[in-house]
């Protein structure tokens, strides 16, 4: 499942690269870029959950909160909203720290 989530984050990266016409679109994050991440993540999350249920690939426990009207799991959908944004935020912070010499510095 983790590998699948990683591939979905890569898919969102590629989709945003196409939308923003920049391969390094995540270097300068803005509200519109986070909105794109959330929108694409929402579509992917809903499609995956709906398809999985329709194909009987999985079922939910009684405790799983459901998205009203769609009757799909709320937690997996929210995960696809939060996870990609968090990954891109961490990647941006890591790149900034690396370029400033704070990360990956060898100690002698």
């Amino acid at each position: 499942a983790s590998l699948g989530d990683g591939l979905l984050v890569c898919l969102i990266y590629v989709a945003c690269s196409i939308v923003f016409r920049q391969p390094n679109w995540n270097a300068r994050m803005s509200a519109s870029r986070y909105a794109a991440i959330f929108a694409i993540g929402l579509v992917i999350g809903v499609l995956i959950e709906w398809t999985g249920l329709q194909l009987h690939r999985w079922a939910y426990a009684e405790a799983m909160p459901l998205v009203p009207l769609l009757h799909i799991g709320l937690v997996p959908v929210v995960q696809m909203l939060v996870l990609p944004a968090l990954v891109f935020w961490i990647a941006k912070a890591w790149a900034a720290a690396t370029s400033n010499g704070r990360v990956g510095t060898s100690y002698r």
Side-chain angles (χ1 to χ4, degrees):
S2 296
L3 180 59
D5 289 343
L7 290 173
L8 292 174
V9 170
C10 289
L11 178 65
I12 292 171
Y13 175 82
V14 170
C16 285
S17 293
I18 293 168
V19 168
F20 296 119
R21 297 182 182 140
Q22 293 179 313
N24 64 341
W25 62 269
N26 61 329
R28 291 189 344 213
M29 294 301 289
S30 64
S32 65
R33 291 181 181 194
Y34 278 112
I37 293 169
F38 292 138
I40 295 168
L42 177 65
V43 169
I44 288 172
V46 167
L47 286 175
I48 287 174
E49 290 304 307
W50 185 82
T51 302
L53 287 175
Q54 296 303 311
L55 297 177
H56 304 287
R57 303 266 311 185
W58 58 75
Y60 302 125
E62 291 283 328
M64 172 65 80
L66 299 178
V67 176
L69 302 174
L70 297 176
H71 306 290
I72 59 175
L74 178 64
V75 174
V77 172
V78 170
Q79 176 184 333
M80 283 313 315
L81 290 173
V82 174
L83 178 68
L86 182 61
V87 167
F88 296 131
W89 179 78
I90 290 170
K92 180 185 173 202
W94 182 272
T98 302
S99 68
N100 292 332
R102 295 186 309 215
V103 175
T105 305
S106 63
Y107 296 98
R108 296 178 200 179

